[in-house]
Amino acid sequence: MEHLDIVSEVKHQRIKTNGIWLHVAEKGTGPLVLLLHGFPETWYAWRHQINFLAHHGYHVVAPDLRGYGDSDSPIDPSSYTIHHLVGDIIGFLDHFGQHQAFIVGSDWGAVIGWHLSLFRPERVKGFVCLGFPYYPRSPTAKTVETIRKLIGDESHVCQFQEPGRAERAFARYDYLTVMKKFLLITRTDFLASPSGMELVDFLPTPSVVPSWITEEELMVFADKFQESGFTGPLNYYRAMDLNWELLAPWQGSKLTVPTKFVAADKDIGFETAGTKAFVESDIFKSLVPNLEVVILDGHHFIHQEKAQQVSHEILSFIRKLSPNASI
């Protein structure tokens, strides 16, 4: 029951940052490593990495991002812009008295990591990005419109725009089933449903839980979402077009922070949406000049599915950037 041991050893606190209270789980001492989860997860998604990195001489902090878990969940989607999200992370660094930290982000956590690196590169010692590359901002088309043209009205991003719609669809299932539909996803093409069908209805519920996670671990997520609901997490998607407007001043900016991009070869859209081609392209390398790319065998939640491999990829990268950390 290793995951239960991890949970019992982790310290929990709530930190006031950027006008709200955010919950963090932490373990270990040494250089600060911040682990930023995605949708629909909580700090618990990093349970394996927390233990591993703390054991190797790092102070590991995994927050519930705003809207998630035991963190505050503002109602208005405009409270979930990328500036709010990055501001929350700056608040963590200041709270722990650290000028710099290593950042690891998956999914929306990766989006936050990219923009923290863009806005405040002097605060980021190195960034490990899981799955979601840094795309150049379109100077003409808003994000949701771009996705609608590419994938259609039934993409998850489009379905999540209307307040209450996805919440009502999710509510037709118990929370454990919703977690299984998303966390155990093995789709490799676009995340979209057939016309007129809600995505959550279209996604299958696996009858067998894969070996990398237990029913009990899935219940940890389910119980937390039962307490907090899905509106906060869905508000990240509802702020996407507002983000597009707010990011205009950084049009064409490069990211100079040392970055390791870890991709899963069976991630959603990795092959079909052109992610692989983009990640291997000169455009990506020109936007992120200090870049290392690693492609692993796995799916979207690679940090849980291939926990040991991902932990070693993170450790090798941050060790290279801080060779004096204890073994």
Side-chain angles (χ1 to χ4, degrees):
M1 305 304 283
E2 189 204 0
H3 66 286
L4 291 179
D5 296 339
I6 294 168
V7 175
S8 65
E9 292 170 15
V10 167
K11 289 190 302 183
H12 297 270
Q13 62 169 312
R14 273 162 63 86
I15 294 168
K16 186 78 178 282
T17 164
N18 205 7
I20 62 173
W21 287 92
L22 297 178
H23 163 255
V24 301
E26 60 176 314
K27 187 175 180 182
T29 55
L32 182 61
V33 183
L34 274 177
L35 306 175
L36 309 178
H37 68 77
F39 175 89
E41 297 179 300
T42 63
W43 74 269
Y44 187 70
W46 300 108
R47 58 200 175 280
H48 306 291
Q49 286 77 28
I50 291 169
N51 211 34
F52 180 87
L53 294 169
H55 177 71
H56 284 89
Y58 294 90
H59 177 200
V60 190
V61 173
D64 284 336
L65 298 176
R66 69 164 58 204
Y68 283 88
D70 294 320
S71 290
D72 286 356
S73 186
I75 295 300
D76 193 332
S78 67
S79 294
Y80 292 81
T81 72
I82 199 64
H83 294 301
H84 289 88
L85 303 172
V86 170
D88 293 346
I89 307 309
I90 294 293
F92 290 140
L93 297 186
D94 292 346
H95 172 85
F96 290 109
Q98 298 298 311
H99 178 63
Q100 285 192 317
F102 296 104
I103 308 294
V104 182
S106 168
D107 189 80
W108 270 104
V111 177
I112 298 169
W114 285 124
H115 290 90
L116 175 64
S117 301
L118 181 65
F119 301 157
R120 300 297 302 275
E122 79 284 1
R123 304 300 301 266
V124 184
K125 202 177 253 187
F127 173 42
V128 179
C129 172
L130 304 183
F132 192 83
Y134 178 72
Y135 289 105
R137 176 187 180 273
S138 164
T140 53
K142 289 189 176 185
T143 310
V144 176
E145 195 50 46
T146 302
I147 291 166
R148 185 173 277 117
K149 280 182 183 155
L150 185 69
I151 309 174
D153 283 329
E154 306 307 335
S155 80
H156 72 295
V157 170
C158 295
Q159 286 198 7
F160 290 175
Q161 291 305 306
E162 182 192 324
R165 175 182 170 181
E167 289 94 327
R168 287 190 296 274
F170 288 13
R172 290 199 286 271
Y173 301 91
D174 64 82
Y175 285 85
L176 180 60
T177 300
V178 176
M179 289 298 104
K180 284 180 176 178
K181 282 173 174 281
F182 281 101
L183 296 182
L184 307 183
I185 202 161
T186 55
R187 292 182 67 83
T188 55
D189 56 350
F190 295 115
L191 198 53
S193 58
S195 182
M197 190 176 190
E198 293 296 323
L199 178 70
V200 74
D201 295 333
F202 178 62
L203 292 176
T205 308
S207 53
V208 178
V209 174
S211 60
W212 54 266
I213 197 164
T214 65
E215 195 96 6
E216 192 179 18
E217 288 171 308
L218 285 162
M219 274 308 298
V220 173
F221 291 107
D223 288 345
K224 204 44 76 177
F225 279 99
Q226 187 151 9
E227 288 173 25
S228 62
F230 290 106
T231 296
L234 290 163
N235 277 342
Y236 284 61
Y237 296 91
R238 293 164 187 161
M240 285 172 85
D241 278 349
L242 181 53
N243 283 339
W244 179 84
E245 294 177 25
L246 293 170
L247 287 167
W250 289 271
Q251 185 71 41
S253 290
K254 293 184 188 305
L255 285 93
T256 55
V257 166
T259 303
K260 183 176 202 171
F261 181 80
V262 180
D265 65 348
K266 297 177 195 66
D267 200 348
I268 299 154
F270 185 66
E271 294 274 0
T272 52
T275 309
K276 182 176 190 284
F278 176 70
V279 165
E280 293 171 346
S281 73
D282 292 337
I283 302 169
F284 189 41
K285 292 185 180 73
S286 71
L287 283 168
V288 191
N290 198 346
L291 177 71
E292 181 184 337
V293 175
V294 175
I295 299 175
L296 301 180
D297 169 37
H299 300 86
H300 186 65
F301 298 96
I302 187 105
H303 48 301
Q304 298 193 62
E305 181 188 359
K306 295 290 173 72
Q308 199 171 0
Q309 265 180 289
V310 169
S311 295
H312 281 288
E313 292 293 349
I314 296 167
L315 182 64
S316 68
F317 181 70
I318 61 181
R319 273 228 177 118
K320 198 165 63 178
L321 296 172
S322 65
N324 298 328
S326 59
I327 305 296

